[in-house]
Amino acid sequence: MTSYTPYMPPPDNTPPVERIRPFSLAGRLDRWRYVAFALCAIVAVMLILFIAGFALLYLGSLGRMLYIGASVVLCYAFLPIFLTILTIKRCHDFNMGGWLAVLLLVPVVNLAFCFIPGTKEENKYGLPLPVPSAGTRAIAIILPILLIGGFLATGASQLSDSSNATSSPASTTLQSYQP
């Protein structure tokens, strides 16, 4: 029998929270972390391939083969598996089975995983996660804006290039086909 003394720390009455393990199929993942983890993984793969492209540039054909191998492993093995794991955990957050992650393959329907709210209390897949930090929320908001903005900027430059190409006169004249 121990009694409370001023020299003992106060009893811990905080509710238990689940630890975030992004590479595990167990547990839950809220909307903010789902978007942040997925987009950070995509940006990380792009950065790795960009740096590897420059690093392997000097190796010639061997460097090209290594770059192709690295890009295949990252883009066709790591990224789909990691995004599937995140989506399964996201399904667990709104108390659904992981098989619902098959909807990740449906082009527009897969965006629903970003907007479906999770259960606020404990469900059959575990305790709710703590409230995400401001940094996690900022990443989940800023990265999509940057990626969409970069995509639109690239498309806008392509449109301006193609409009200039059609307005310029042809450098050669076409001749009719004579069999």
Side-chain angles (χ1 to χ4, degrees):
M1 178 173 151
T2 61
S3 62
Y4 179 74
T5 66
Y7 302 108
M8 292 178 60
D12 187 21
N13 294 330
T14 59
V17 291
E18 189 137 343
R19 191 172 149 230
I20 301 168
R21 297 173 298 171
F23 294 101
S24 169
L25 288 173
R28 299 167 55 170
L29 195 65
D30 60 1
R31 293 183 277 191
W32 294 102
R33 289 180 181 95
Y34 176 71
V35 172
F37 285 170
L39 291 178
C40 283
I42 292 169
V43 169
V45 165
M46 287 191 302
L47 285 175
I48 289 170
L49 289 177
F50 182 74
I51 293 169
F54 277 115
L56 297 173
L57 184 68
Y58 297 107
L59 294 178
S61 62
L62 175 65
R64 282 193 295 270
M65 284 185 359
L66 290 173
Y67 181 76
I68 290 171
S71 62
V72 165
V73 167
L74 288 174
C75 293
Y76 295 112
F78 168 74
L79 209 52
I81 291 170
F82 183 69
L83 293 177
T84 304
I85 290 171
L86 291 180
T87 307
I88 289 170
K89 291 172 70 91
R90 181 70 191 111
C91 292
H92 291 172
D93 191 45
F94 48 87
N95 212 13
M96 298 294 284
W99 285 104
L100 193 64
V102 172
L103 291 177
L104 190 64
L105 300 173
V106 180
V108 177
V109 177
N110 60 11
L111 293 175
F113 292 112
C114 299
F115 300 108
I116 298 174
T119 55
K120 296 194 183 309
E121 64 277 345
E122 182 177 3
N123 63 20
K124 64 182 179 181
Y125 297 103
L127 297 169
L129 295 174
V131 177
S133 66
T136 303
R137 289 180 184 219
I139 289 172
I141 292 172
I142 292 172
L143 271 181
I145 292 171
L146 289 176
L147 290 174
I148 291 171
F151 178 74
L152 292 176
T154 304
S157 68
Q158 292 293 328
L159 286 176
S160 65
D161 290 344
S162 65
S163 66
N164 290 341
T166 57
S167 64
S168 65
S171 61
T172 61
T173 58
L174 295 176
Q175 296 179 1
S176 63
Y177 175 70
Q178 301 284 337

